[in-house]
């Protein structure tokens, strides 16, 4: 229903009160709906009325395209004469002082009404325009997103009530303007740079594990959705480079996801894939990424040429920085990983800075760059889902984000060292920490204080392994855990006075080690060997002094012989906090 059809002036839609003045070309506010415009007076009042009548006549004759015709009254009200000038001569022009006062009050009230109506009309128009623009921009961002199926390789999607694991993959695909000149321009896009980002359940901390591209591993069989919608199982490959889990033989990111799960025992929630253009556009969107160099770097292959010192990189320079390896460290991929970790930590700090979060221009650029540059799994192929995920990922403090690299050794099978293999003595412990949501940093002071009190149990002398006497029970661990642990203790660690007692009388919720007070030194030694936390130790009373052997009961948290239950107390030696200044060497 239009404004005139409502029948009451105070029910008029403010947006209906604006008409064009043909003499000025401006829109003017029409307050009196009952009166047509005047046509005779050259005064501002009569001129405005004339323009309004002209506009109404035009609207009635020719409605705007795409809009409903506005209905007008069949018999317009008679024209209201223009207001008499108070300067007119004679008695008729004189107004008693009391009457003039009333008129001023009426004019003031009318002025306030004009202001309110103008404000209301403007706000109404702005709200409609903003809502429309917001929806259109939402749809625009959605159209930017590229997604591929996860082929059931992940969990099916992140959840707010548990830890989140995201696989970040940087490919060496040379698509995009100016990227064909970088090395192998025909690359199908291998997993050149891969990080496993783990965000804790309580969102207080995060760990980013870099997986070397030249790591020799097993790629499993990968069910893969084809372009026509059909599914094909791409056969796995044993003992090959990790980076071939993507691109090679038509493998998609879902296959890289399966490979990481096979390698670490950690199931991914989502993956995100970035190409060379992502580095360029994201670094430019935030206004450049600060980095520092301990020495001059000149790398002809990556096209990086920078003197030592501080720099802010974006676009081509940023890409050259994350690609360089021949001019840093020993010139290998492990040194390039350090460069990339430095760049990513700095980029994340910039993303979370007030300089970025309070800049509408940067936020729009980031939204454009992020949705265009990233390929995501089909579970997060909507801007709303990406926003929800981003809100969860953004909750942890940057000082509690730790970068580390999966522990590796030079491949012993090679004369010329080109690939690496897992250093299981360290990697198993690290993977266990992530699986069990153990932070690489101390982030919760209350928990730390409680752990310190319990950790007193681990303070004191240790017995020799040959003096440790223990009975091993399976109280809910994987089948065969007791025997495997016994074999490992005796054959690897020299704990010869150990016995497999089979299944425990009852299952336990977690692994425990019960011992008498006079066996505390043996308990500490076994805890060191097994990677048991202080919480697993259960000292007995004086009545237990006569026990011949300690009792080790393996619970559902047991992951394997020699694999720490909750991982080591300290982060790996190469772990670096994201809020610390790192400089390329």
């Amino acid at each position: 229903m239009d404004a005139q059809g409502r029948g009451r002036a105070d029910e008029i839609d403010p947006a209906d009160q604006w008409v064009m003045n043909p003499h000025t070309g401006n829109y003017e506010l029409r307050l009196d709906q009952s009166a047509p415009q005047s046509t005779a007076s050259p005064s501002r009042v009569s001129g405005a009325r004339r323009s309004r009548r002209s506009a109404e006549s035009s609207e009635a004759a020719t409605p705007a395209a795409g809009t409903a015709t506005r209905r007008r009254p069949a018999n317009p009200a008679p024209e209201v004469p223009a207001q008499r000038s108070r300067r007119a001569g004679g008695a008729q022009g004189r107004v008693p002082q009391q009457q003039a006062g009333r008129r001023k009050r009426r004019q003031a009230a009318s002025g306030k009404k004009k202001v309110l109506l103008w404000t209301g009309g403007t706000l109404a128009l702005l709200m409609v325009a903003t809502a429309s623009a917001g929806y259109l921009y939402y749809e625009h961002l959605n159209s930017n997103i590229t997604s591929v199926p996860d082929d059931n390789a992940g969990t099916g999607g992140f959840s707010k009530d548990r830890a989140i694991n995201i696989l970040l993959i940087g490919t060496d695909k040379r698509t995009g303007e100016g990227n064909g000149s970088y090395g192998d321009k025909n690359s199908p896009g291998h997993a050149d740079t891969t990080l496993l980002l783990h965000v804790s359940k309580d969102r207080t901390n995060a760990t980013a594990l870099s997986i070397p591209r030249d790591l020799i591993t097993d790629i499993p069989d990968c069910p893969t959705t084809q372009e026509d919608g059909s599914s094909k199982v791409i056969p796995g490959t044993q003992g090959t480079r990790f980076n071939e889990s993507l691109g090679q033989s038509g493998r998609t990111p879902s296959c890289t996801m399966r490979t990481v799960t096979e390698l670490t025992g950690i199931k991914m929630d989502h993956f995100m894939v970035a190409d060379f253009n992502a580095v360029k556009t994201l670094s430019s969107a935030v206004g450049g990424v600060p980095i520092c160099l301990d020495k001059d770097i000149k790398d002809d292959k990556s096209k990086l040429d920078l003197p030592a010192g501080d720099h802010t990189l974006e676009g081509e320079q940023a890409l050259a920085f994350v690609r360089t390896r021949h001019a840093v460290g020993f010139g290998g991929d492990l040194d390039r990983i350090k460069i990339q970790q430095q760049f990513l930590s700095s980029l994340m700090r910039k993303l979370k800075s007030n300089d970025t979060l309070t800049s509408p221009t940067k936020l729009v650029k980031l939204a454009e760059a992020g949705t265009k540059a990233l390929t995501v799994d089909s579970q997060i192929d909507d801007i709303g889902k990406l926003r929800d995920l981003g809100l969860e990922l953004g909750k942890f403090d940057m000082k509690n984000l730790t970068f580390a690299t999966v522990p590796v050794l030079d491949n012993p099978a090679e004369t010329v060292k080109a690939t690496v293999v897992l250093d299981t003595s360290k990697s198993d412990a690290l993977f266990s920490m992530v699986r069990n949501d153990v932070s690489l940093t101390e982030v919760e002071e209350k928990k730390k204080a409680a752990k310190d009190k319990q950790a007193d149990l681990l303070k004191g002398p240790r017995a020799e392994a040959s003096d440790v006497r223990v009975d091993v029970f399976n109280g809910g661990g994987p089948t065969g855990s007791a025997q495997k642990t016994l074999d490992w203790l005796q054959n690897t660690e020299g704990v010869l006075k150990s016995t497999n007692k089979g299944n425990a009388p009852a299952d336990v919720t977690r692994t425990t080690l019960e011992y008498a007070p006079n066996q505390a030194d043996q308990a500490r030694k076994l805890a060191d060997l097994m990677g048991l936390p202080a919480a697993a130790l259960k000292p007995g009373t004086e009545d237990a002094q006569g026990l011949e052997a300690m009792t080790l009961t393996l619970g559902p948290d047991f992951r394997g012989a020699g694999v720490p239950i909750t991982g080591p107390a300290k982060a790996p030696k190469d772990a670096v906090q994201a809020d610390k200044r790192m400089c390329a060497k």
Side-chain angles (χ1 to χ4, degrees):
M1 181 179 291
D2 60 40
Q4 287 77 11
R6 294 190 186 102
R8 291 178 57 193
D10 56 356
E11 292 180 354
I12 295 171
D13 184 342
D16 289 334
Q17 301 189 29
W18 293 89
V19 296
M20 177 179 284
N21 185 335
H23 297 285
T24 65
N26 296 324
Y27 277 89
E28 297 178 355
L29 187 64
R30 180 179 62 226
L31 296 178
D32 188 355
Q33 294 295 321
S34 64
Q37 289 89 357
S38 173
T39 59
S41 173
S43 68
R44 181 175 300 176
V45 174
S46 61
R49 287 174 178 168
R50 181 171 61 250
S51 66
R52 286 198 294 269
R53 184 171 61 192
S54 175
E56 286 176 358
S57 176
S58 176
E59 285 181 31
T62 309
T67 60
T69 303
R70 292 180 177 175
R71 287 175 290 187
R72 302 296 178 193
N75 299 308
E79 182 177 342
V80 177
Q83 181 177 325
R84 289 179 300 173
S85 169
R86 284 182 292 175
R87 294 188 177 90
Q92 292 180 344
R94 298 189 187 95
V95 180
Q97 186 174 359
Q98 185 178 4
Q99 185 178 351
R102 286 198 298 269
R103 179 177 296 147
K104 288 181 180 179
R105 287 195 293 273
R106 285 198 300 270
Q107 289 173 342
S110 176
K112 291 179 181 177
K113 184 178 180 182
K114 289 180 182 180
V115 171
L116 290 173
L117 285 173
W118 185 89
T119 305
T122 303
L123 287 177
L125 291 170
L126 282 174
M127 288 173 67
V128 171
T130 303
S132 300
Y135 173 77
L136 292 174
Y137 191 59
Y138 181 94
E139 290 300 305
H140 166 70
L141 292 179
N142 265 343
S143 68
N144 286 346
I145 298 172
T146 300
S147 68
V148 293
D150 71 348
D151 297 313
N152 298 315
T155 62
F158 77 96
S159 174
K160 294 184 178 181
D161 59 357
R162 57 179 171 81
I164 299 176
N165 294 304
I166 308 291
L167 194 63
L168 306 174
I169 308 170
T171 76
D172 58 356
K173 201 167 187 177
R174 268 66 170 172
T175 55
E177 184 179 353
N179 296 327
S181 60
Y182 294 118
D184 182 10
K185 66 179 180 180
N186 297 316
S187 172
H190 295 108
D192 202 45
T193 301
T194 306
L195 286 97
L196 190 169
L197 177 64
H198 171 87
V199 180
S200 65
K201 178 180 177 179
D202 61 10
R203 307 294 188 259
T204 60
N205 63 87
T207 300
L209 289 183
S210 294
I211 303 175
R213 67 172 191 177
D214 296 323
L215 172 65
I216 297 299
T217 189
D218 296 335
I219 299 175
D221 293 344
C222 298
T224 306
T225 301
Q226 305 298 297
E227 289 186 4
D228 61 2
S230 63
S231 183
K232 173 185 176 182
V233 176
I234 299 176
T237 307
Q238 304 297 304
T240 191
R241 276 181 166 89
F242 172 83
N243 71 339
E244 294 185 5
S245 63
L246 178 65
Q248 201 78 5
S249 304
R251 295 182 177 116
T252 64
S254 67
C255 193
T256 307
M257 193 184 257
R258 292 183 193 277
T259 305
V260 171
T261 299
E262 188 95 354
L263 178 70
T264 65
I266 303 164
K267 199 158 188 177
M268 301 294 104
D269 294 304
H270 299 288
F271 61 73
M272 296 182 180
V273 184
D275 59 14
F276 283 3
N277 280 334
V279 178
K280 294 180 183 180
T281 56
L282 287 173
S283 61
S284 296
V286 297
V289 178
I291 61 99
C292 64
L293 304 177
D294 276 351
K295 65 175 185 178
D296 297 349
I297 291 183
K298 186 171 184 179
D299 186 346
D300 294 334
K301 292 191 175 181
S302 73
K303 303 177 183 177
L304 181 68
D305 187 359
L306 291 174
D310 294 328
H311 302 275
T312 298
L313 307 182
E314 61 178 288
E316 292 287 347
Q317 270 197 325
L319 177 60
F321 181 75
V322 299
R323 291 186 66 248
T324 189
R325 63 187 175 99
H326 297 287
V328 293
F330 296 104
D333 186 53
L334 296 180
D335 292 302
R336 178 163 62 178
I337 285 176
K338 295 177 182 177
I339 286 278
Q340 292 167 347
Q341 290 177 347
Q342 176 191 350
F343 182 84
L344 284 173
S345 65
S346 184
L347 173 61
M348 293 178 74
R349 286 197 300 273
K350 194 71 179 289
L351 286 171
K352 297 186 74 170
S353 69
N354 287 334
D355 182 50
T356 299
L357 296 178
T358 59
S359 170
T361 301
K362 287 185 180 179
L363 290 176
V364 169
K365 286 182 178 179
L366 276 171
E368 288 288 342
T371 52
K372 286 180 180 179
L374 300 177
T375 296
V376 300
D377 67 82
S378 51
Q379 303 293 337
I380 47 173
D381 60 355
D382 175 85
I383 195 67
K385 296 174 183 177
L386 283 172
R387 176 203 59 205
D388 292 343
L389 175 59
L391 289 173
E392 291 300 306
L393 298 181
K395 288 180 178 179
F396 65 85
D397 194 316
M398 282 295 295
K399 70 181 181 182
N400 296 325
L401 168 61
T402 304
F403 284 92
T405 303
V406 170
V408 294
L409 299 169
D410 287 336
N411 190 347
E414 294 177 337
T415 304
V416 178
K417 304 303 180 183
T419 61
V420 293
V421 295
L422 274 184
D423 182 354
T424 54
S425 66
K426 298 177 181 177
S427 62
D428 288 347
L430 187 56
F431 297 155
S432 177
M433 288 186 74
V434 178
R435 280 195 303 266
N436 289 282
D437 200 22
V438 176
S439 172
L440 296 186
T441 56
E442 295 293 345
V443 296
E444 297 178 83
E445 292 300 325
K446 291 183 180 180
K447 287 185 178 180
K448 184 177 183 298
K451 287 179 181 179
D452 288 344
K453 183 177 180 181
Q454 209 166 27
D456 288 341
L457 296 173
L458 295 175
K459 294 179 181 178
R462 268 71 170 160
E464 295 295 326
S466 58
D467 293 331
V468 173
R469 189 183 297 271
V470 61
D471 292 335
V472 184
F473 291 84
N474 189 346
T479 302
S481 294
Q483 186 58 49
K484 290 179 181 178
T485 300
L486 183 72
D487 293 341
W488 178 78
L489 286 172
Q490 292 184 347
N491 299 329
T492 305
E493 301 299 333
V495 182
L496 303 179
K497 298 175 184 177
S498 50
T499 307
N500 176 8
K501 292 293 186 177
N503 291 331
D507 284 351
V508 294
T509 57
R510 63 182 184 181
T511 299
T512 59
L513 176 63
E514 299 178 71
Y515 59 95
N518 62 344
Q519 295 171 325
D521 57 343
Q522 296 181 46
R524 297 185 194 103
K525 181 63 176 181
L526 188 62
D528 291 345
L529 297 175
M530 293 286 296
L532 300 178
L537 274 58
K538 287 190 172 183
T541 62
E542 291 297 328
D543 296 338
Q545 290 283 11
L547 292 177
E548 292 189 3
M550 299 182 295
T551 300
L552 175 64
T553 306
L554 305 175
D557 56 349
F558 178 75
R559 301 295 178 181
V563 179
I565 300 300
T566 58
K570 295 182 180 180
K573 290 183 179 180
D574 70 337
V576 180
Q577 298 306 115
D579 66 331
K580 301 294 191 297
R581 177 182 168 90
M582 294 182 282
C583 292
K585 299 179 180 180

